[in-house]
Tab-separated table of all heavy atoms in Angstrom:
chain	number	residue	atom	x	y	z
Z	1460	HIS	N	192.332	129.853	-0.668
Z	1460	HIS	CA	192.620	128.966	-1.795
Z	1460	HIS	C	191.704	129.337	-2.965
Z	1460	HIS	O	190.555	128.921	-3.016
Z	1460	HIS	CB	192.438	127.509	-1.377
Z	1460	HIS	CG	193.222	127.137	-0.152
Z	1460	HIS	ND1	194.598	127.096	-0.128
Z	1460	HIS	CD2	192.830	126.831	1.111
Z	1460	HIS	CE1	195.019	126.761	1.078
Z	1460	HIS	NE2	193.968	126.598	1.851
Z	1502	GLU	N	191.658	129.795	7.852
Z	1502	GLU	CA	191.561	129.370	6.460
Z	1502	GLU	C	190.224	129.860	5.918
Z	1502	GLU	O	189.227	129.909	6.631
Z	1502	GLU	CB	191.651	127.839	6.376
Z	1502	GLU	CG	191.764	127.282	4.988
Z	1502	GLU	CD	191.957	125.769	4.982
Z	1502	GLU	OE1	192.042	125.172	6.077
Z	1502	GLU	OE2	192.015	125.195	3.883
Z	1503	GLY	N	190.213	130.238	4.653
Z	1503	GLY	CA	188.965	130.640	4.023
Z	1503	GLY	C	188.116	129.437	3.655
Z	1503	GLY	O	188.524	128.283	3.803
Z	1504	ALA	N	186.904	129.686	3.125
Z	1504	ALA	CA	185.979	128.611	2.784
Z	1504	ALA	C	185.091	129.072	1.632
Z	1504	ALA	O	184.822	130.269	1.484
Z	1504	ALA	CB	185.125	128.232	3.990
Z	1505	ASP	N	184.624	128.119	0.827
Z	1505	ASP	CA	183.707	128.448	-0.270
Z	1505	ASP	C	182.273	128.343	0.256
Z	1505	ASP	O	181.611	127.323	0.105
Z	1505	ASP	CB	183.938	127.505	-1.449
Z	1505	ASP	CG	183.087	127.869	-2.664
Z	1505	ASP	OD1	182.428	128.933	-2.636
Z	1505	ASP	OD2	183.061	127.088	-3.633
Z	1506	ILE	N	181.792	129.420	0.857
Z	1506	ILE	CA	180.494	129.412	1.519
Z	1506	ILE	C	179.343	129.328	0.519
Z	1506	ILE	O	178.333	128.657	0.769
Z	1506	ILE	CB	180.332	130.673	2.399
Z	1506	ILE	CG1	181.442	130.718	3.465
Z	1506	ILE	CG2	178.957	130.718	3.058
Z	1506	ILE	CD1	181.446	129.557	4.418
Z	1507	ASN	N	179.457	130.011	-0.625
Z	1507	ASN	CA	178.341	130.052	-1.573
Z	1507	ASN	C	178.495	129.085	-2.737
Z	1507	ASN	O	177.694	129.105	-3.680
Z	1507	ASN	CB	178.139	131.478	-2.106
Z	1507	ASN	CG	179.340	132.003	-2.875
Z	1507	ASN	OD1	180.431	131.437	-2.789
Z	1507	ASN	ND2	179.142	133.076	-3.610
Z	1508	GLY	N	179.504	128.223	-2.707
Z	1508	GLY	CA	179.620	127.133	-3.661
Z	1508	GLY	C	179.887	127.535	-5.092
Z	1508	GLY	O	179.555	126.785	-6.021
Z	1511	TYR	N	185.000	129.764	-5.807
Z	1511	TYR	CA	185.977	130.710	-5.281
Z	1511	TYR	C	186.017	130.609	-3.760
Z	1511	TYR	O	184.973	130.447	-3.108
Z	1511	TYR	CB	185.613	132.149	-5.659
Z	1511	TYR	CG	185.616	132.434	-7.142
Z	1511	TYR	CD1	184.443	132.358	-7.880
Z	1511	TYR	CD2	186.784	132.801	-7.799
Z	1511	TYR	CE1	184.430	132.628	-9.237
Z	1511	TYR	CE2	186.789	133.073	-9.157
Z	1511	TYR	CZ	185.599	132.984	-9.876
Z	1511	TYR	OH	185.599	133.249	-11.222
Z	1512	CYS	N	187.215	130.711	-3.198
Z	1512	CYS	CA	187.349	130.719	-1.744
Z	1512	CYS	C	186.894	132.073	-1.211
Z	1512	CYS	O	187.202	133.123	-1.791
Z	1512	CYS	CB	188.798	130.459	-1.356
Z	1512	CYS	SG	189.078	130.308	0.417
Z	1513	ASP	N	186.155	132.060	-0.112
Z	1513	ASP	CA	185.664	133.285	0.511
Z	1513	ASP	C	186.454	133.558	1.792
Z	1513	ASP	O	186.906	132.631	2.466
Z	1513	ASP	CB	184.176	133.153	0.841
Z	1513	ASP	CG	183.360	132.695	-0.362
Z	1513	ASP	OD1	183.651	133.178	-1.470
Z	1513	ASP	OD2	182.450	131.848	-0.198
Z	1515	LEU	N	186.778	134.789	5.655
Z	1515	LEU	CA	185.990	134.831	6.894
Z	1515	LEU	C	186.700	135.777	7.853
Z	1515	LEU	O	187.825	135.503	8.271
Z	1515	LEU	CB	185.872	133.439	7.499
Z	1515	LEU	CG	185.324	132.336	6.584
Z	1515	LEU	CD1	185.373	130.980	7.296
Z	1515	LEU	CD2	183.907	132.650	6.134
Z	1539	PHE	N	177.412	135.890	9.748
Z	1539	PHE	CA	176.825	135.015	10.765
Z	1539	PHE	C	177.098	135.663	12.114
Z	1539	PHE	O	178.223	136.096	12.381
Z	1539	PHE	CB	177.458	133.621	10.736
Z	1539	PHE	CG	177.335	132.928	9.400
Z	1539	PHE	CD1	178.425	132.810	8.557
Z	1539	PHE	CD2	176.126	132.395	8.994
Z	1539	PHE	CE1	178.329	132.178	7.334
Z	1539	PHE	CE2	176.009	131.751	7.769
Z	1539	PHE	CZ	177.108	131.644	6.940
Z	1549	LYS	N	186.531	127.778	9.494
Z	1549	LYS	CA	185.934	126.974	8.438
Z	1549	LYS	C	185.588	125.604	9.012
Z	1549	LYS	O	186.369	125.015	9.762
Z	1549	LYS	CB	186.944	126.828	7.303
Z	1549	LYS	CG	186.738	125.648	6.372
Z	1549	LYS	CD	187.908	125.522	5.423
Z	1549	LYS	CE	187.857	124.226	4.631
Z	1549	LYS	NZ	188.953	124.125	3.643
Z	1550	ALA	N	184.406	125.071	8.664
Z	1550	ALA	CA	184.030	123.730	9.106
Z	1550	ALA	C	184.155	122.700	8.003
Z	1550	ALA	O	184.015	121.509	8.251
Z	1550	ALA	CB	182.590	123.734	9.642
Z	1551	GLY	N	184.452	123.139	6.773
Z	1551	GLY	CA	184.358	122.226	5.650
Z	1551	GLY	C	182.896	121.994	5.302
Z	1551	GLY	O	181.996	122.645	5.834
Z	1552	ASP	N	182.630	121.070	4.399
Z	1552	ASP	CA	181.257	120.770	3.997
Z	1552	ASP	C	180.749	119.599	4.831
Z	1552	ASP	O	180.853	118.443	4.432
Z	1552	ASP	CB	181.215	120.456	2.508
Z	1552	ASP	CG	179.798	120.332	1.958
Z	1552	ASP	OD1	178.843	120.494	2.745
Z	1552	ASP	OD2	179.652	120.068	0.749
Z	1553	VAL	N	180.189	119.898	6.011
Z	1553	VAL	CA	179.823	118.830	6.946
Z	1553	VAL	C	178.611	118.032	6.487
Z	1553	VAL	O	178.427	116.889	6.916
Z	1553	VAL	CB	179.588	119.377	8.371
Z	1553	VAL	CG1	180.838	120.033	8.926
Z	1553	VAL	CG2	178.404	120.335	8.413
Z	1554	ASN	N	177.751	118.611	5.652
Z	1554	ASN	CA	176.569	117.877	5.197
Z	1554	ASN	C	176.624	117.555	3.707
Z	1554	ASN	O	175.640	117.087	3.140
Z	1554	ASN	CB	175.294	118.659	5.517
Z	1554	ASN	CG	175.270	120.040	4.887
Z	1554	ASN	OD1	176.296	120.534	4.430
Z	1554	ASN	ND2	174.111	120.667	4.866
Z	1555	LYS	N	177.741	117.811	3.072
Z	1555	LYS	CA	178.017	117.454	1.677
Z	1555	LYS	C	176.924	117.947	0.732
Z	1555	LYS	O	176.446	117.208	-0.147
Z	1555	LYS	CB	178.232	115.948	1.538
Z	1555	LYS	CG	179.163	115.577	0.374
Z	1555	LYS	CD	179.597	114.140	0.398
Z	1555	LYS	CE	178.465	113.176	0.109
Z	1555	LYS	NZ	178.937	111.799	-0.052
Z	1556	ASP	N	176.536	119.214	0.904
Z	1556	ASP	CA	175.554	119.812	0.003
Z	1556	ASP	C	176.188	120.703	-1.047
Z	1556	ASP	O	175.496	121.388	-1.807
Z	1556	ASP	CB	174.518	120.608	0.798
Z	1556	ASP	CG	175.130	121.775	1.574
Z	1556	ASP	OD1	176.376	121.901	1.585
Z	1556	ASP	OD2	174.371	122.540	2.185
Z	1557	GLY	N	177.533	120.712	-1.105
Z	1557	GLY	CA	178.232	121.516	-2.083
Z	1557	GLY	C	178.639	122.884	-1.592
Z	1557	GLY	O	179.274	123.644	-2.344
Z	1558	TYR	N	178.284	123.207	-0.345
Z	1558	TYR	CA	178.644	124.492	0.245
Z	1558	TYR	C	179.449	124.242	1.518
Z	1558	TYR	O	179.057	123.416	2.355
Z	1558	TYR	CB	177.404	125.312	0.600
Z	1558	TYR	CG	176.443	125.521	-0.546
Z	1558	TYR	CD1	175.303	124.728	-0.673
Z	1558	TYR	CD2	176.674	126.505	-1.496
Z	1558	TYR	CE1	174.415	124.914	-1.726
Z	1558	TYR	CE2	175.790	126.707	-2.551
Z	1558	TYR	CZ	174.664	125.905	-2.663
Z	1558	TYR	OH	173.792	126.096	-3.705
Z	1559	GLU	N	180.568	124.954	1.675
Z	1559	GLU	CA	181.323	124.813	2.915
Z	1559	GLU	C	180.649	125.611	4.028
Z	1559	GLU	O	179.939	126.593	3.781
Z	1559	GLU	CB	182.767	125.269	2.717
Z	1559	GLU	CG	183.548	124.312	1.831
Z	1559	GLU	CD	185.037	124.542	1.901
Z	1559	GLU	OE1	185.481	125.644	1.527
Z	1559	GLU	OE2	185.763	123.612	2.325
Z	1560	ASP	N	180.877	125.187	5.257
Z	1560	ASP	CA	180.148	125.694	6.408
Z	1560	ASP	C	181.097	126.389	7.379
Z	1560	ASP	O	182.325	126.316	7.241
Z	1560	ASP	CB	179.407	124.534	7.088
Z	1560	ASP	CG	178.625	123.686	6.083
Z	1560	ASP	OD1	177.870	124.288	5.300
Z	1560	ASP	OD2	178.802	122.453	6.055
Z	1561	VAL	N	180.537	127.055	8.377
Z	1561	VAL	CA	181.302	127.798	9.370
Z	1561	VAL	C	180.976	127.263	10.753
Z	1561	VAL	O	179.801	126.967	11.058
Z	1561	VAL	CB	180.973	129.304	9.303
Z	1561	VAL	CG1	181.656	130.062	10.442
Z	1561	VAL	CG2	181.406	129.887	7.965
Z	1576	ILE	N	177.248	125.433	14.206
Z	1576	ILE	CA	177.570	125.327	12.786
Z	1576	ILE	C	176.486	126.037	11.991
Z	1576	ILE	O	175.290	125.795	12.187
Z	1576	ILE	CB	177.706	123.860	12.339
Z	1576	ILE	CG1	179.014	123.263	12.882
Z	1576	ILE	CG2	177.690	123.754	10.815
Z	1576	ILE	CD1	179.259	121.829	12.484
Z	1577	PHE	N	176.921	126.928	11.108
Z	1577	PHE	CA	176.041	127.587	10.157
Z	1577	PHE	C	176.335	127.004	8.777
Z	1577	PHE	O	177.480	127.054	8.316
Z	1577	PHE	CB	176.290	129.096	10.135
Z	1577	PHE	CG	175.872	129.817	11.387
Z	1577	PHE	CD1	176.735	129.899	12.473
Z	1577	PHE	CD2	174.632	130.421	11.487
Z	1577	PHE	CE1	176.370	130.572	13.629
Z	1577	PHE	CE2	174.253	131.100	12.640
Z	1577	PHE	CZ	175.121	131.164	13.715
Z	1578	TYR	N	175.317	126.456	8.128
Z	1578	TYR	CA	175.514	125.897	6.794
Z	1578	TYR	C	175.741	127.005	5.775
Z	1578	TYR	O	175.133	128.076	5.835
Z	1578	TYR	CB	174.291	125.093	6.356
Z	1578	TYR	CG	174.076	123.803	7.094
Z	1578	TYR	CD1	172.804	123.235	7.164
Z	1578	TYR	CD2	175.124	123.118	7.704
Z	1578	TYR	CE1	172.585	122.044	7.828
Z	1578	TYR	CE2	174.920	121.928	8.363
Z	1578	TYR	CZ	173.634	121.393	8.427
Z	1578	TYR	OH	173.418	120.215	9.086
Z	1579	GLY	N	176.622	126.715	4.814
Z	1579	GLY	CA	176.763	127.597	3.677
Z	1579	GLY	C	175.583	127.450	2.730
Z	1579	GLY	O	174.730	126.567	2.868
Z	1580	GLY	N	175.517	128.308	1.737
Z	1580	GLY	CA	174.444	128.279	0.751
Z	1580	GLY	C	174.593	129.435	-0.199
Z	1580	GLY	O	175.489	130.268	-0.058
Z	1583	PRO	N	173.333	131.569	2.098
Z	1583	PRO	CA	173.018	130.751	3.269
Z	1583	PRO	C	171.609	131.057	3.784
Z	1583	PRO	O	171.025	132.102	3.487
Z	1583	PRO	CB	174.084	131.166	4.293
Z	1583	PRO	CG	175.212	131.672	3.458
Z	1583	PRO	CD	174.569	132.356	2.285
Z	1608	TYR	N	188.263	122.897	11.955
Z	1608	TYR	CA	188.035	121.939	10.868
Z	1608	TYR	C	189.020	120.793	11.045
Z	1608	TYR	O	190.219	121.014	11.210
Z	1608	TYR	CB	188.260	122.655	9.545
Z	1608	TYR	CG	188.377	121.808	8.314
Z	1608	TYR	CD1	187.323	121.038	7.856
Z	1608	TYR	CD2	189.570	121.799	7.574
Z	1608	TYR	CE1	187.434	120.284	6.698
Z	1608	TYR	CE2	189.688	121.059	6.407
Z	1608	TYR	CZ	188.616	120.299	5.978
Z	1608	TYR	OH	188.727	119.551	4.833
Z	1618	ALA	N	182.967	116.410	5.847
Z	1618	ALA	CA	183.947	117.069	6.704
Z	1618	ALA	C	183.595	116.859	8.172
Z	1618	ALA	O	182.416	116.778	8.538
Z	1618	ALA	CB	184.000	118.560	6.388
Side-chain angles (χ1 to χ4, degrees):
H1460 306 293
E1502 188 176 358
D1505 184 7
I1506 300 299
N1507 62 345
Y1511 297 95
C1512 185
D1513 308 320
L1515 306 175
F1539 302 105
K1549 158 188 171 177
D1552 188 0
V1553 299
N1554 58 346
K1555 209 168 69 172
D1556 62 354
Y1558 306 99
E1559 290 194 298
D1560 311 309
V1561 174
I1576 287 181
F1577 291 85
Y1578 290 156
Y1608 167 64

